[in-house]
Amino acid sequence: MKKISVIAGNSNLKLAKDICEHLKVSVGQTICESFPGGEIHVQIKENIRGQDVFIVQPTCYPPNDSMMELFLLIDAARRASAARITAVVPYYGYARQDRKDRPRVPISAKLVANLISTAGADRILTMDLHAGQIQGFFDIPVDHLYSINVLTSYFKKKKIKDLIVVSPDVGGIKMARAYSKVLNSPFAIVDKQRQSAKKTKVMNVIGDIKDKNVVIVDDLISTGGSLVEAANALRANGAKDVYAAIVHPVLADPAVERIKKSILKEVIVTDSIPIPKNRKTSKIKVLSVAPLLAETIRRIHQNRSVSSLFARAGVEA
Ligand code: R5P
């Protein structure tokens, strides 16, 4: 294969540019626009024949447009004779709809996987999937990255005493265990019940968090209900400072307002999803995963191991 070519849709151009800076290439020229009737039109403006093409497009807000842009860019790359196409989707939208938990509902995460493959992707590179099993929804190779080293390095530098890692729900135990291993601290669990898409209720706090400084870890923050409810319950049970390390800042309304008013000291997130200017607040700190994604892209291109990037992180790639 001749060379790496990185192209991007509109969903996170800044991340694509930052990845390219690390790879010392420039973002490929594309047109990605909407026709007056709402249809999306894309065009790759340079020759990618025989190249190893990486399409950077997290399927974040507006998720349906982001996804359509991704499908169209993959199709365009395939028809332009790319040698190999990797969909780089650091945030994989629709991931929470990953099973039939009620009658007559779709398994949307599986349908999205089918659509990415059908469009013509040869592989997918993603990060901190809501559920690791989603990898199995694909019949093409999946490289599943974890941002654990990026997020934990922040807390290591802070040298917080009496630190405890907390999962805001039972589904996040594996993630909390991995973080507690890297941070060399114990972990506890918040037993949460979801009452609606916007409302959650804490039932119990499992573990001793009294007089401890807490870092809540989660794969994503949407409306902020889970996080703020968990923070309140932890404080009510005697926790001191409460921080959060959340990979994907979906930040749907009213998450930012909730965080601002909350007892949370800091919320650390990655740049897998861009945060618009009007949603920025001093409480939310963004760490970049561009170096990690760039290194992974380099390794995929050179057919080198990706899992060795996680050798010491307590997780498997
Ligand atoms: C749940 O399983 C997820 O890991 C998140 O905790 C949850 O989806 C966040 O949603 P929200 O911010 O709306 O509570």
Side-chain angles (χ1 to χ4, degrees):
M1 247 172 276
K2 279 185 204 147
K3 63 169 207 167
I4 294 182
S5 170
V6 178
I7 56 175
N10 288 314
S11 72
N12 198 344
L13 255 178
K14 166 87 172 66
L15 178 66
K17 283 183 185 150
D18 291 347
I19 290 171
C20 284
E21 214 166 276
H22 286 275
L23 289 170
K24 299 193 172 35
V25 298
S26 27
V27 186
Q29 293 268 308
T30 52
I31 293 175
C32 251
E33 61 190 8
S34 286
F35 282 142
E39 289 176 7
I40 293 169
H41 161 71
V42 309
Q43 187 183 5
I44 300 167
K45 296 286 281 178
E46 53 194 58
N47 176 24
I48 53 162
R49 193 177 285 271
Q51 292 184 12
D52 195 10
V53 175
F54 292 83
I55 301 174
V56 180
Q57 180 78 342
T59 50
C60 52
Y61 189 83
N64 304 333
D65 285 355
S66 299
M67 249 168 350
M68 198 62 197
E69 279 184 10
L70 174 65
F71 304 147
L72 296 176
L73 283 168
I74 295 172
D75 189 70
R78 186 166 55 89
R79 291 173 196 279
S81 306
R84 182 172 66 176
I85 302 164
T86 303
V88 182
V89 188
Y91 171 66
Y92 186 83
Y94 282 87
R96 287 181 290 176
Q97 299 178 46
D98 60 353
R99 63 197 177 284
K100 247 188 112 173
D101 56 356
R102 276 161 295 156
R104 297 174 296 284
V105 294
I107 303 181
S108 315
K110 166 67 178 152
L111 177 61
V112 172
N114 286 349
L115 294 170
I116 290 174
S117 303
T118 303
D122 297 298
R123 21 186 340 122
I124 177 155
L125 168 55
T126 186
M127 205 178 77
D128 288 283
L129 284 167
H130 177 64
Q133 301 88 300
I134 291 171
Q135 291 172 68
F137 290 177
F138 290 89
D139 285 325
I140 54 175
V142 178
D143 286 303
H144 184 204
L145 302 182
Y146 295 92
S147 56
I148 183 169
N149 285 339
V150 177
L151 291 171
T152 51
S153 65
Y154 181 81
F155 291 96
K156 277 184 183 166
K157 272 188 213 135
K158 269 186 112 74
K159 294 196 169 98
I160 301 168
K161 288 214 171 97
D162 302 318
L163 191 68
I164 185 163
V165 173
V166 171
S167 169
D169 54 42
V170 280
I173 294 178
K174 233 178 134 180
M175 184 175 182
R177 190 185 296 126
Y179 277 65
S180 77
K181 225 166 141 182
V182 176
L183 290 171
N184 202 14
S185 57
F187 79 95
I189 302 153
V190 169
D191 171 25
K192 156 190 111 175
Q193 210 175 58
R194 186 168 281 286
Q195 297 179 320
S196 73
K198 285 190 179 170
K199 213 170 163 4
T200 58
K201 191 176 169 202
V202 169
M203 312 305 282
N204 296 294
V205 175
I206 306 164
D208 183 12
I209 46 99
K210 194 163 166 24
D211 296 327
K212 298 250 169 67
N213 294 306
V214 172
V215 53
I216 302 171
V217 298
D218 209 348
D219 62 314
L220 68 92
I221 172 168
S222 179
T223 64
S226 309
L227 178 62
V228 171
E229 280 284 323
N232 290 340
L234 293 164
R235 175 58 60 77
N237 279 267
K240 291 204 287 198
D241 289 343
V242 183
Y243 299 86
I246 315 263
V247 181
H248 306 296
V250 176
L251 295 177
D253 280 335
V256 176
E257 283 316 304
R258 277 177 169 160
I259 290 171
K260 278 188 190 164
K261 290 186 196 146
S262 74
I263 59 132
L264 285 152
K265 198 157 180 183
E266 275 182 310
V267 178
I268 316 301
V269 300
T270 78
D271 57 354
S272 66
I273 297 175
I275 303 180
K277 269 199 183 120
N278 61 358
R279 279 171 189 249
K280 288 191 174 152
T281 148
S282 56
K283 271 195 182 183
I284 302 178
K285 187 166 173 53
V286 183
L287 304 182
S288 182
V289 287
L292 172 64
L293 287 163
E295 177 58 19
T296 309
I297 288 172
R298 189 177 289 121
R299 286 173 184 233
I300 292 171
H301 179 66
Q302 296 169 343
N303 288 324
R304 285 166 57 211
S305 165
V306 167
S307 59
S308 58
L309 280 174
F310 304 99
R312 280 170 290 127
V315 291
E316 285 161 23

